[in-house]
Amino acid sequence: MKIVDAHSHLWLKQNTTWNGLPIKSKRNGRSIFLGEEVQMIPPFMIDGKNTAEVFLSNMDYAQVSAAVVVQELIDGNQNHYLQQVSEKYPDRFVTCGMVNFFQPNLPLQAQVLIDSGFKGLAIPGHRLLTDELQIRLNDPEMMRMFHMMENHDIFLSITLADGKQQTEELREVIKECPGLRIAIGHLGMANPPQGPIWENSDWKQQMMLANYDNVYIESGGITWLYNSEFYPFPSAVRAIREAASLVGMEKLMWGSDYPRTITAITYRMSYDFILKSTELSDHEKELFLGENARRFYRLQDLIELPYIKNMSE
């Protein structure tokens, strides 16, 4: 099976603010994050850089053929670096550009990114509802941008605010732009719901957006959402099963949310719990871990990576 990671991040340096609070890279994998020092990335990334080369080493070891790199406001704008990454490693990375939501004329900004070679644009929707920003997904300027993306066959990678705050806004986008490929991140939630996920009706409404032909769901960060449970994340597997019961396994894709999630687990562990699960069939695992993403992102000639035995085996 060829594995594709539908949700990852890269950056050279974090040096930005969100909602008036700083995010800034330090040494040994730590960052100042919204006024608090946290372990943002693994401690072996001592210079604070989260580079494509380190990620490729992890991907090769874990036998992940390709990865989609999205963007987040909390990491700062990485358009310049990600353009370089996609040009240098076109067979391994699909990178998303991100417009500056603080500046006007989003459609023109998006056109510049498309002209520079980006195949997708990322919108961290859950970050757009703050003291600094109050942007609706169905605002006229956003809608013009979505129509332009649809016309250029540029996919949208988007995360939504927890609950139902943005579900109907995105539904309007989906109906207006039926040809716009949309991948909803974090298994349809920005934060873990209260109580069992399968009892959360707001979460189900987010999931059911994938019943539209052009909409898929990716699970980026699911191991973080269930970090308190830890490996092998049985509730995460059940959440994936519940999502499949609502929209079909052929609409779901695996995402790691690398590198933040691998402060607690290894990169391979971020999908290995799926491989080892007895609650999913081999065919469902193939769809979830690679085949659906290959189809959605239109990936060709995925690299096949050999298994390298650990010295300790």
Side-chain angles (χ1 to χ4, degrees), residues 193-200 203 226:
Q194 299 299 315
I197 188 171
W198 39 90
E199 293 179 1
N200 186 316
W203 175 79
Y226 293 96

Side-chain angles (χ1 to χ4, degrees), residues 243-300:
S245 75
L246 296 171
V247 300
M249 188 60 77
E250 68 277 2
K251 283 301 196 80
L252 305 180
M253 305 181 291
W254 168 69
S256 69
D257 209 8
Y258 175 98
R260 281 179 271 267
T261 48
I262 65 166
T263 56
I265 58 175
T266 67
Y267 182 54
R268 189 180 187 95
M269 287 169 72
S270 66
Y271 75 81
D272 188 60
F273 75 99
I274 297 293
L275 281 181
K276 289 183 167 62
S277 173
T278 59
E279 295 191 40
L280 300 170
S281 69
D282 289 345
H283 179 59
E284 288 174 325
K285 293 172 184 178
E286 289 176 2
L287 291 175
F288 183 69
L289 292 175
E291 181 56 28
N292 294 337
R294 184 200 62 76
R295 184 173 64 253
F296 178 85
Y297 297 106
R298 299 176 182 167
L299 302 172
Q300 304 293 327

Side-chain angles (χ1 to χ4, degrees), residues 210-249:
N211 283 316
Y212 292 94
D213 291 342
N214 56 323
V215 182
Y216 282 54
I217 305 286
E218 46 92 343
S219 71
I222 194 169
T223 60
W224 166 71
L225 294 168
Y226 293 96
N227 182 61
S228 61
E229 184 178 76
F230 204 64
Y231 189 91
F233 308 107
S235 294
V237 175
R238 288 194 290 273
I240 293 165
R241 285 230 53 86
E242 179 65 18
S245 75
L246 296 171
V247 300
M249 188 60 77

Side-chain angles (χ1 to χ4, degrees), residues 162-231:
D162 192 19
K164 60 184 179 181
Q165 298 179 69
Q166 295 174 311
T167 303
E168 292 308 311
E169 294 176 18
L170 186 58
R171 190 188 307 278
E172 183 175 334
V173 174
I174 295 165
K175 290 181 177 180
E176 281 278 323
C177 304
L180 175 63
R181 288 177 289 147
I182 299 174
I184 300 174
H186 297 317
L187 205 71
M189 55 186 168
N191 296 294
Q194 299 299 315
I197 188 171
W198 39 90
E199 293 179 1
N200 186 316
S201 60
D202 291 341
W203 175 79
K204 288 183 178 182
Q205 291 301 311
Q206 283 197 26
M207 285 294 93
M208 290 173 68
L209 291 174
N211 283 316
Y212 292 94
D213 291 342
N214 56 323
V215 182
Y216 282 54
I217 305 286
E218 46 92 343
S219 71
I222 194 169
T223 60
W224 166 71
L225 294 168
Y226 293 96
N227 182 61
S228 61
E229 184 178 76
F230 204 64
Y231 189 91

Side-chain angles (χ1 to χ4, degrees), residues 6-9 68-73 75-79 82 94-101 106 110 113-114 118-128 137 142 145-146 149 154-159 181 183 185 218 297:
H7 189 118
S8 64
H9 300 274
V68 180
V69 184
V70 303
Q71 294 200 56
E72 246 275 28
L73 285 178
D75 299 327
N77 191 296
Q78 302 294 326
N79 287 335
L82 294 187
V94 177
T95 62
C96 295
M98 184 172 68
V99 299
N100 186 337
F101 299 100
L106 299 184
L113 293 173
I114 293 168
F118 284 107
K119 300 296 191 295
L121 298 182
I123 296 183
H126 59 306
R127 305 289 185 194
L128 302 184
L137 300 177
M142 292 282 274
M145 181 177 71
F146 293 139
M149 291 171 63
I154 300 299
F155 71 83
L156 169 65
S157 174
I158 188 167
T159 53
R181 288 177 289 147
E218 46 92 343
Y297 297 106

